Amino acid sequence: MKIKRWNLKIFTAVVFIYFAVLSLLWGYNADDYWWGGVKSLYSYLTGPMFFNYDGRYVGDGLAIIGMHYPILAALIYGMTLSIIIYSIYSLTKRLDLMIGTFVAILIMPRGIFAQTIGWKAGFFNYALSIVPILILLLVTKYILFDSKVNKLPLYNLIAVCIILFFGSFMSEPITLTILIDTLVLIFVANFLKKSVVKDFFYFFFFSLLGTIAMFANRGYWKNTGVHKYSLGASIPQILLQLRSEYILIFILGLCVSLFILKRSGNSHLPYVLAGFDILVFVLAVVSDKIVLFNKISRLSNYLVILCLGVSIIVFFCNYNLLNKDEFWISLFLVLNAFASIIPYIVVSPFGPRSMLCFYILMVIFSFYLVAISNSLTRKCFIILISCMAFLYGSFILFKANQINVAKTRNSALIEYQVKNKTYIANNNRFYYVQIPNTDMWWNPRLQTHDDPIISYYKIPNTTVGKLVPWYEVKNISSNQGELLFKKAKKLVK
């Protein structure tokens, strides 16, 4: 047991350091520069934007702090993902599935990855907001199934209430999800325990306070162009993002099949579901790689969504195979996953970042099924998944380092040109270092005319942007702005 505990501690520390380093290597992009333009958290809290933009006070505030204090941003980044990955161990007590969750985060669809893991502002709103949901799940498990007195110690209760209150200020759909969770848990506790569990009333009260405080922001009640409401406008995008998660849906289908096979005497249903799951996966891979098969592509889109629905329905139709706590934990994970995207049916715009909570909760649900059915040999699986973690983790770090090299040179080149006003004598021309691996970091704008960067560095809006290949300047130190500028002039005529 001592070795297992040390393995857990070592891996958790590795995860924390890995993602903290990754945060430092990614640097900043897109709206990070908008928030970085706010001089301090104090100026944000006392300025007109605070109560007139949106109620994501924690997410927006951390985006500002993170831009000015990269080390602090990296620590929050590493801690958040460590908590998310550790939560699967809290549910399953299996280190191999914890490593599997780490791999699942690294291999998530690139659109989701770029807009959350590869973007600080997106991370603070869409990744950090998952933590209160997972804490609520683990606390509920303790109160209803593990604790003899069905309540938390006082200091733990206060801590959870604070987390739920401040957790309301990051992502609107997650805020609503937490509020509904805490309300429903009052009735669930009464149903399971035949008595009132006071802790859930406290959870609901503080979640309600947070929700009211968030949506009291005037940005939601006036036409700012930031928040739009239109029934059904985002449904095509939601379906498209679900289709892009075909690897996750494939894993989920297999996990459901393995669970039913292990727990039930029915030998036909698991194989039929697994066969359908494999067929859908093959069609999705083919349509992804060979774009000529338009009909296969359209068919695979429908089949992926169908496979997701069938897997969930088949699982809950076999609820009799679950004991009480397994049923409620499974239901919590699945309902919260879907609740995190349902509000986007009436709210737009919708982007891949909005799917992160769904993705993470469905990964945890899939691995939870593996654990309760004990359907994988741990030694074989841990060797395989550890190799994947090392290889893919190294690959991501390699790509992130390339991004870091390019971004540091780009910042140095920009700052030199702004300080010396070189664009005045250079026919209004401005040079930028081209950032590679654009599938891993998000920016919806042209790099040669990036509004947030232009605003942040006070670059004249009329300058003509030109890109310099990053590999041509990678060997020039980032503190040699003049040399970078001369090299850029030489390369781009």
Side-chain angles (χ1 to χ4, degrees), residues 113-133:
F113 187 95
Q115 292 191 18
T116 53
I117 308 300
W119 176 38
K120 297 290 193 303
F123 180 87
F124 288 132
N125 284 296
Y126 295 94
L128 187 58
S129 60
I130 300 172
V131 172
I133 288 181

Side-chain angles (χ1 to χ4, degrees), residues 177-243:
T177 299
I178 293 172
L179 178 65
I180 294 169
D181 280 344
T182 54
L183 178 61
V184 170
L185 283 172
I186 294 172
F187 298 99
V188 170
N190 186 64
F191 171 74
L192 290 175
K193 298 298 178 180
K194 307 301 181 184
S195 62
V196 174
V197 177
K198 292 182 180 179
D199 287 6
F200 291 132
F201 282 93
Y202 296 129
F203 295 164
F204 173 70
F205 176 74
F206 281 92
S207 298
L208 180 61
L209 280 182
T211 302
I212 292 171
M214 172 182 240
F215 287 103
N217 190 287
R218 286 192 289 263
Y220 298 112
W221 307 104
K222 61 182 182 180
N223 186 19
T224 60
V226 177
H227 309 285
K228 301 176 182 178
Y229 307 93
S230 55
L231 184 62
S234 297
I235 289 178
Q237 282 297 317
I238 292 173
L239 295 177
L240 182 64
Q241 290 304 318
L242 285 172
R243 186 255 180 251

Side-chain angles (χ1 to χ4, degrees), residues 294-336:
N294 291 326
K295 291 184 179 179
I296 292 180
S297 181
R298 287 195 294 270
L299 176 63
S300 70
N301 289 343
Y302 296 120
L303 287 179
V304 167
I305 308 301
L306 179 63
C307 187
L308 172 65
V310 168
S311 299
I312 298 297
I313 291 170
V314 167
F315 174 76
F316 283 108
C317 283
N318 288 272
Y319 69 91
N320 57 301
L321 303 177
L322 299 158
N323 63 36
K324 186 168 59 176
D325 58 333
E326 290 170 351
F327 173 78
W328 288 106
I329 289 171
S330 299
L331 190 63
F332 183 96
L333 288 167
V334 171
L335 290 182
N336 275 268

Side-chain angles (χ1 to χ4, degrees), residues 37-277:
V38 179
K39 293 181 180 179
S40 65
L41 183 61
Y42 176 79
S43 59
Y44 165 66
L45 295 174
T46 57
M49 189 178 185
F50 177 72
F51 202 62
N52 292 279
Y53 183 68
D54 62 27
R56 300 180 181 184
Y57 307 123
V58 171
D60 297 343
L62 288 175
I64 294 167
I65 293 172
M67 187 70 180
H68 295 293
Y69 302 98
I71 298 295
L72 181 58
L75 294 176
I76 297 171
Y77 196 97
M79 187 177 298
T80 300
L81 289 164
S82 296
I83 292 172
I84 289 173
I85 292 171
Y86 182 82
S87 66
I88 188 65
Y89 182 83
S90 298
L91 288 174
T92 65
K93 305 303 178 186
R94 285 184 57 168
L95 180 61
D96 55 342
L97 298 179
M98 193 177 173
I99 300 172
T101 306
F102 172 73
V103 174
I105 289 174
L106 296 183
I107 66 170
M108 74 173 68
R110 277 290 165 260
I112 303 175
F113 187 95
Q115 292 191 18
T116 53
I117 308 300
W119 176 38
K120 297 290 193 303
F123 180 87
F124 288 132
N125 284 296
Y126 295 94
L128 187 58
S129 60
I130 300 172
V131 172
I133 288 181
L134 295 175
I135 288 176
L136 183 61
L137 169 62
L138 297 175
V139 166
T140 299
K141 177 179 178 293
Y142 173 80
I143 293 173
L144 295 182
F145 304 119
D146 299 337
S147 172
K148 294 180 180 179
V149 294
N150 299 130
K151 67 177 184 179
L152 288 174
L154 179 61
Y155 291 114
N156 292 352
L157 175 63
I158 293 171
V160 173
C161 289
I162 291 172
I163 289 170
L164 293 176
F165 177 74
F166 285 102
S168 301
F169 304 131
M170 286 179 280
S171 172
E172 296 85 358
I174 305 300
T175 300
L176 295 173
T177 299
I178 293 172
L179 178 65
I180 294 169
D181 280 344
T182 54
L183 178 61
V184 170
L185 283 172
I186 294 172
F187 298 99
V188 170
N190 186 64
F191 171 74
L192 290 175
K193 298 298 178 180
K194 307 301 181 184
S195 62
V196 174
V197 177
K198 292 182 180 179
D199 287 6
F200 291 132
F201 282 93
Y202 296 129
F203 295 164
F204 173 70
F205 176 74
F206 281 92
S207 298
L208 180 61
L209 280 182
T211 302
I212 292 171
M214 172 182 240
F215 287 103
N217 190 287
R218 286 192 289 263
Y220 298 112
W221 307 104
K222 61 182 182 180
N223 186 19
T224 60
V226 177
H227 309 285
K228 301 176 182 178
Y229 307 93
S230 55
L231 184 62
S234 297
I235 289 178
Q237 282 297 317
I238 292 173
L239 295 177
L240 182 64
Q241 290 304 318
L242 285 172
R243 186 255 180 251
S244 73
E245 297 185 21
Y246 65 88
I247 296 177
L248 169 61
I249 294 170
F250 170 69
I251 293 171
L252 170 64
L254 290 185
C255 289
V256 171
S257 301
L258 287 170
F259 171 79
I260 296 173
L261 187 64
K262 284 284 186 177
R263 289 278 180 102
S264 171
N266 186 341
S267 59
H268 300 295
L269 179 61
Y271 290 111
V272 171
L273 179 59
F276 176 57
D277 191 43

